[in-house]
Amino acid sequence: LIKEFFKNILNLNARACVSVLYLILLFLKSREIGALAIMLQANRYVFKETHGLESDAIQLVSNNIGLTTIGIQYSNLPVKNCLMDSSPDKFLIFSDLYKTIFSDKYFSPHEFIVTGYPYRNVQNFVQAPAVKLRKELHNKGVDLIIGYFDENVLSGKFSLTNKDHHYDEISQLAKLVLSNSSTAVIVKPQFVTNATKNLYHKDPLIKKAFDTGRLFDLCRGQDRRNRLYPAETALICDICVGNLLGGTASLEVAVIGNRSAMINPYNVDAPWVNLLSDQNIIFGDL
């Protein structure tokens, strides 16, 4: 690997250099996490973040140290995504519908086990803060509370949810709040870095809507991912809107029995979309 790295530097092959560095990190992590499993005398390794470095690294050594690996689906993924693929011994999934999403002819978990949605009881743990915030909004004269789930805002010409598209949707929600004094909109960002206030704090329209106290972000945690569950947003709101491109948050809202609508501006064709086609749930855009 070291020889390949220096050879690629001499050939000015930046992509290959990065690939070699990733391989070195992968091998180092597999030694580290494998040693930890041996020290703990572990016989199972359970992971949720299939795209994490550790989740791939453990697969390199698990057979050699007698470790059964178990992956847990957490994303309502509509299309195949190589970053989300994994090859654990057992993969716990929401439904048989997702087998085609998380498997390939040459790369697949060894066994799928259908368990249903793993967070279907989370509303029991977020009821109190949700009821409190809903009551505060009602005391301000609000009689319609809408939840909005974004997708990760990415840069570059190949991104789907770019900043321009995200700004367009947030602007529409801001206008809605400013034109309806009895309406509130809660934005639940997928990532803290994409919080509306972080991205558009200088925009006069969005700032004006924020100043009403009826447009705001719901975030928890200091790291990159927003640690707040979609269920908490659902319990505050009368209806929630998410993008079919992701759809995990929308699924959680529906599972706990609250109203959930989806927009599909990118015309994604998910394997489960036929279940919703005649339900007046999916719309072309916001």
Side-chain angles (χ1 to χ4, degrees), residues 63-235:
N63 284 344
N64 295 334
I65 61 175
L67 198 67
T68 299
T69 55
I70 301 168
I72 300 174
Q73 178 189 356
Y74 73 92
S75 172
N76 186 22
L77 200 64
V79 292
K80 287 181 186 288
N81 182 329
C82 64
L83 286 175
M84 300 292 284
D85 281 348
S86 190
S87 56
D89 298 309
K90 301 176 189 295
F91 195 49
L92 313 185
I93 56 174
F94 303 168
S95 157
D96 284 325
L97 288 169
Y98 297 90
K99 287 181 180 179
T100 57
I101 294 291
F102 290 100
S103 66
D104 186 81
K105 184 179 179 182
Y106 303 104
F107 189 88
S108 173
H110 292 266
E111 179 188 4
F112 284 108
I113 300 172
V114 176
T115 60
Y117 187 64
Y119 302 111
R120 58 189 175 273
N121 293 317
V122 74
Q123 71 267 29
N124 299 331
F125 303 96
V126 297
Q127 191 91 33
V131 168
K132 182 174 179 287
L133 186 49
R134 183 173 171 84
K135 187 177 179 182
E136 287 173 5
L137 288 170
H138 283 164
N139 289 340
K140 289 182 178 179
V142 170
D143 59 20
L144 175 63
I145 309 171
I146 301 168
Y148 168 80
F149 302 116
D150 69 5
E151 287 302 314
N152 192 11
V153 183
L154 301 169
S155 58
K157 64 181 179 180
F158 296 114
S159 64
L160 279 176
T161 49
N162 58 43
K163 195 171 180 180
D164 288 342
H165 194 154
H166 184 258
Y167 173 74
D168 178 59
E169 292 187 344
I170 296 294
S171 296
Q172 289 184 55
L173 296 169
K175 289 174 185 174
L176 180 69
V177 165
L178 291 171
S179 62
N180 294 272
S181 60
S182 60
T183 298
V185 174
I186 296 173
V187 179
K188 191 270 179 190
Q190 191 175 358
F191 296 97
V192 175
T193 48
N194 293 334
T196 310
K197 214 158 191 177
N198 291 341
L199 294 178
Y200 311 118
H201 63 280
K202 292 182 179 177
D203 184 86
L205 174 73
I206 294 171
K207 186 178 184 305
K208 189 176 179 182
F210 258 82
D211 289 344
T212 66
R214 291 180 289 107
L215 173 68
F216 56 91
D217 296 307
L218 212 54
C219 282
R220 189 165 295 140
Q222 299 300 315
D223 56 357
R224 187 166 175 263
R225 188 176 284 276
N226 184 0
R227 296 296 172 183
L228 187 127
Y229 287 104
E232 185 169 337
T233 310
L235 292 171

Side-chain angles (χ1 to χ4, degrees), residues 7-25:
K7 186 172 80 176
N8 289 315
I9 286 180
L10 292 173
N11 292 332
L12 302 177
N13 191 337
R15 178 182 286 183
C17 287
V18 171
S19 298
V20 172
L21 286 172
Y22 271 121
L23 279 172
I24 292 170
L25 285 173

Side-chain angles (χ1 to χ4, degrees), residues 27-46:
F27 290 145
L28 288 172
K29 184 60 68 173
S30 69
R31 286 171 60 92
E32 177 188 316
I33 205 163
L36 179 64
I38 291 169
M39 186 187 78
L40 296 172
Q41 298 181 334
N43 56 18
R44 288 182 183 83
Y45 184 87
V46 181

